[in-house]
Amino acid sequence: MATLTNNSANWNNVTLTNNINHSVLANLTAWADRQAPNRTLWFMVSLIAQGVLFLPIPAVLLFYFNAPLAVLAVTLGLFFSNIIAGMGGAGIRVMLGFLALSVFVHLLMIMAFII
């Protein structure tokens, strides 16, 4: 009996009006809220991205481009804040926000010292 399901219909979420919000921020937060079941996956993606892509950046900037030591402090601060947010049970918006902030700050540091 592959056609039988145990899921009941959820009629509480049905809306009859067309209330579509076209704001970029509203769309972004709605996407982040839909990612809530995948919180562990996003935590692992954040750790892998931080460890593989972002942690070598201070070494390159310090040794080849004479960047100040603050670059290392910023990178480690962002790395540990991602770990604390993920292991501390922060919401998906906070975790994705820290990941986006890390990407933005590291791209800014690369542009500031290389270009």
Side-chain angles (χ1 to χ4, degrees):
M1 295 273 171
T3 59
L4 295 178
T5 61
N6 290 332
N7 298 334
S8 61
N10 190 1
W11 296 102
N12 293 333
N13 293 334
V14 175
T15 59
L16 299 177
T17 60
N18 193 6
N19 293 332
I20 298 174
N21 192 351
H22 295 288
S23 170
V24 174
L25 183 61
N27 289 338
L28 186 63
T29 55
W31 176 80
D33 290 339
R34 285 192 308 268
Q35 297 299 317
N38 302 327
R39 227 180 93 225
T40 306
L41 172 71
W42 279 109
F43 176 56
M44 292 305 297
V45 166
S46 176
L47 285 182
I48 291 170
Q50 290 282 327
V52 173
L53 299 176
F54 301 149
L55 286 180
I57 289 175
V60 171
L61 292 179
L62 286 170
F63 294 119
Y64 295 114
F65 296 101
N66 297 323
L69 199 58
V71 170
L72 179 64
V74 168
T75 300
L76 288 178
L78 289 170
F79 176 71
F80 287 121
S81 65
N82 273 308
I83 289 176
I84 291 169
M87 292 180 72
I92 189 67
R93 288 184 187 179
V94 173
M95 289 178 53
L96 290 175
F98 271 129
L99 179 61
L101 179 71
S102 296
V103 170
F104 180 70
V105 167
H106 282 93
L107 286 176
L108 239 144
M109 285 192 303
I110 289 171
M111 290 188 327
F113 292 109
I114 293 179
I115 296 175

